[in-house]
Amino acid sequence: MKKRVFSGIQPSGHLHIGNYLGSIRNWVRDLDSRDNIFCVVDQHAITVDYDPSELRANVRELVGLYLACGLDPDKCNLFVQSHIPEHTELAWLLTCVTPMGWLERMTQFKDKVGSKRERVGTGLFTYPTLMAADILLYQSHEVPVGDDQKQHVELTRDIAERFNHKFGEVFVVPEPVIPEVGARIMGFDDPTVKMSKSAEGQHHSVALLDDLKKARKTIMRAVTDSGRDIVFDPERAGLYNLLSVYQALTGQSRDEIATHFEGKGYGDLKKEVAEAVIAEIEPIQARYRELTADPSHIDGVLAQSVANLRPIVDQTMDAVRRAMGHR
Ligand code: ATP
Ligand code: LTN
């Protein structure tokens, strides 16, 4: 039996190479050895201010990019969260077994809420129980994500264990799977903050659908330090980030990379990073244009996955409702 994998991305902006290296690329790599479920988590994207028509467009773009990056619909199920209403039903049930203190410890909430406690929706606070529902609904074994989501997957484990202890063994307890390289790509304009879809700043990130000239410019302008030698040193955040992108894309070892850049300067490194990034995203852009030319193809893929997933959803929800005394 293949292990079941579940993961998702919020349609909250344009997908960048951090999302790609930290998540999608690893999903594509393991397609053949897993039972795969990938989701566009549109109900997570409404936990902050948003525009409904922009959300609709972002969902379409993200589904198109999933396919263009190589998520072959013959090898995975690929769907939109709000098309399966049981995600929110299960989220409510899990909210009732999740202590407030556990949610208060979530660093992403603390970062996002900032000074806006009186204004943000409660969903931003309870959001990790919706993420737990996504994962547990499908009895998933593995959750491949970037480093920033590790804490949420660990919370999901705690919720599953607490539920199983209280109501009987209903859920598989999932594991986070974090890549060794590329799990936390930093902003090109500020290598002390994580590259993020919702960050402002023209040269913060390279989006998968960015104009290639702009992508090159962003990398050539990347903030570095005043040093000269090219070595993997986490203290030199900008340099370290460029080298990590290079390492993730070329698959070379750190020693090989250090030898390759011996005697060369930051300008050479940036040029090669830009080449590697463009070589990766150019074919994705071409496939994206082809795939999105026929919207009915994408609608068909989404509907088929929802139908494929229905039996798993019904089975889990039946067990949950019985265990909790609703049936
Ligand atoms: P937002 O800015 O809206 O919070 P985001 O760019 O942080 O978005 P998410 O939708 O939260 O992206 O994340 C999608 C996936 O990409 C997750 O698995 C997440 O861990 C991963 N990811 C996000 N940012 C990075 C990054 N900078 N480096 C590596 N992986 C990342
Ligand atoms: N919270 C995640 C997105 C997300 C997710 C999931 C990831 C929602 N549900 C289930 C993996 C599994 C984020 O913000 N990146």
Side-chain angles (χ1 to χ4, degrees):
M1 272 265 286
K2 288 180 180 173
K3 282 193 176 166
R4 183 167 295 149
V5 162
F6 184 98
S7 198
I9 298 183
Q10 300 193 42
S12 51
H14 302 294
L15 207 73
H16 53 71
I17 58 165
N19 301 132
Y20 179 72
L21 296 175
S23 61
I24 298 198
R25 192 178 71 134
N26 310 307
W27 311 347
V28 173
R29 185 196 52 216
D30 292 339
L31 274 183
D32 287 320
S33 59
R34 304 288 195 277
D35 169 10
N36 307 286
I37 307 176
F38 301 115
C39 185
V40 170
V41 288
D42 57 343
Q43 288 165 323
H44 278 89
I46 65 170
T47 54
V48 292
D49 270 343
Y50 77 102
D51 173 69
S53 54
E54 238 170 72
L55 177 66
R56 206 172 285 121
N58 285 343
V59 169
R60 300 297 297 183
E61 181 177 305
L62 189 50
V63 175
L65 275 173
Y66 274 10
L67 294 167
C69 287
L71 291 179
D72 176 350
D74 290 334
K75 297 182 179 173
C76 64
N77 284 301
L78 202 161
F79 74 106
V80 179
Q81 186 183 35
S82 63
H83 297 183
I84 300 191
E86 283 85 349
H87 284 252
T88 46
E89 180 184 351
L90 182 58
W92 170 249
L93 302 177
L94 296 179
T95 301
C96 295
V97 299
T98 305
M100 285 219 343
W102 290 7
L103 294 178
E104 276 162 358
R105 282 195 279 279
M106 293 299 112
T107 55
Q108 190 183 54
F109 171 71
K110 288 191 254 184
D111 291 346
K112 285 204 175 180
V113 75
S115 57
K116 295 179 292 201
R117 264 192 103 82
E118 288 299 318
R119 270 184 292 141
V120 298
T122 316
L124 189 66
F125 181 63
T126 58
Y127 146 129
T129 60
L130 178 58
M131 176 160 164
D134 300 339
I135 297 165
L136 300 180
L137 185 56
Y138 301 96
Q139 308 289 356
S140 318
H141 302 102
E142 293 183 348
V143 186
V145 282
D147 178 63
D148 62 310
Q149 295 302 315
K150 190 164 180 236
Q151 192 185 33
H152 290 154
V153 182
E154 278 162 358
L155 177 80
T156 302
R157 289 175 61 83
D158 292 340
I159 294 173
E161 279 168 357
R162 191 174 160 100
F163 186 103
N164 287 349
H165 182 73
K166 258 187 144 126
F167 298 111
E169 291 292 319
V170 169
F171 293 122
V172 167
V173 180
E175 305 265 357
V177 179
I178 316 289
E180 267 173 46
V181 185
R184 192 174 183 81
I185 301 300
M186 310 306 277
F188 287 124
D189 58 349
D190 179 358
T192 65
V193 302
K194 184 187 84 90
M195 188 178 285
S196 158
K197 278 191 242 102
S198 41
E200 285 167 19
Q202 251 219 314
H203 297 289
H204 169 77
S205 68
V206 169
L208 296 188
L209 294 177
D210 262 355
D211 171 69
L212 298 180
K213 268 199 212 116
K214 178 183 175 238
R216 188 185 303 277
K217 195 164 168 196
T218 295
I219 295 168
M220 293 310 292
R221 290 172 53 130
V223 170
T224 45
D225 52 62
S226 56
R228 296 191 69 84
D229 54 329
I230 296 180
V231 287
F232 278 89
D233 175 1
E235 297 291 312
R236 292 160 69 186
L239 174 63
Y240 188 82
N241 192 42
L242 286 167
L243 284 169
S244 300
V245 171
Y246 189 81
Q247 187 186 9
L249 287 172
T250 61
Q252 292 173 24
S253 72
R254 289 186 171 196
D255 285 347
E256 282 168 334
I257 294 171
T259 309
H260 176 73
F261 285 109
E262 229 167 54
K264 295 188 183 161
Y266 286 0
D268 303 307
L269 169 66
K270 287 177 176 177
K271 228 185 257 167
E272 290 206 40
V273 171
E275 289 310 324
V277 167
I278 287 169
E280 193 80 16
I281 67 177
E282 202 171 18
I284 293 176
Q285 295 187 0
R287 279 197 299 274
Y288 179 83
R289 282 192 294 270
E290 260 170 54
L291 283 158
T292 50
D294 176 12
S296 66
H297 168 68
I298 292 189
D299 290 334
V301 167
L302 295 175
Q304 183 59 52
S305 294
V306 168
N308 295 342
L309 294 170
R310 185 39 56 198
I312 311 175
V313 169
D314 287 344
Q315 201 179 4
T316 301
M317 288 314 295
D318 186 56
V320 170
R321 291 178 192 127
R322 284 173 192 281
M324 294 187 83
H326 290 142
R327 292 287 186 282

